[in-house]
Amino acid sequence: QVQLVESGGGLVQAGGSLKLSCAASGRTFNSYAMAWFRQAPGQEREFVAAIRWSGGNTYYADSVKGRFTISRDNAKNTVYLQMNSLKPEDTAVYYCANGYRPPATKTKGYDSWGQGTQVTVTS
């Protein structure tokens, strides 16, 4: 089992930036990919970005391409999400997830989830 703890959420004005972190602990040695999802009130959890632990290949939702960057620090077992040019529609609870399969855009592709961190973007 892998434990995930997110941090870095907060309140920011439109056009601003935030950097989220997700620290992984536990049985991380055979993890394949990490991802960020987000969930706004009344909506389903949606894919934001994913990264392979080995090789660092990255994948993004069309809605965040060019604005968000996912990265990882293997030595620290930590994944980051740099969010720039934030928009009010980016407001959501952001969750990180860990999986043992190639990166997926569906929640069922991941096995462990963090508790989430709130991101609120004001206009």
Side-chain angles (χ1 to χ4, degrees):
Q1 188 74 6
V2 174
Q3 292 77 45
L4 304 171
V5 178
E6 302 101 333
S7 60
L11 180 68
V12 64
Q13 287 189 330
S17 299
L18 280 175
K19 186 173 184 178
L20 307 183
S21 299
C22 176
S25 61
R27 296 173 61 86
T28 62
F29 62 93
N30 59 344
S31 294
Y32 196 101
M34 292 282 285
W36 288 96
F37 283 73
R38 65 187 181 187
Q39 188 167 19
Q43 298 187 20
E44 293 187 354
R45 194 169 296 189
E46 66 172 1
F47 172 78
V48 175
I51 189 167
R52 288 177 54 182
W53 277 116
S54 176
N57 303 66
T58 57
Y59 310 83
Y60 296 95
D62 288 342
S63 59
V64 306
K65 278 181 183 176
R67 301 189 298 123
F68 291 10
T69 302
I70 189 171
S71 61
R72 90 270 192 237
D73 184 330
N74 292 49
K76 295 182 178 180
N77 280 342
T78 299
V79 172
Y80 305 97
L81 185 68
Q82 177 67 47
M83 305 185 295
N84 298 329
S85 302
L86 283 161
K87 305 174 181 180
E89 50 264 45
D90 294 318
T91 295
V93 177
Y94 283 69
Y95 298 89
C96 69
N98 174 77
Y100 301 100
R101 293 170 290 275
T105 60
K106 304 293 185 183
T107 57
K108 63 181 180 181
Y110 298 89
D111 304 277
S112 301
W113 293 83
Q115 81 289 351
T117 185
Q118 177 70 47
V119 171
T120 303
V121 184
T122 60
S123 57

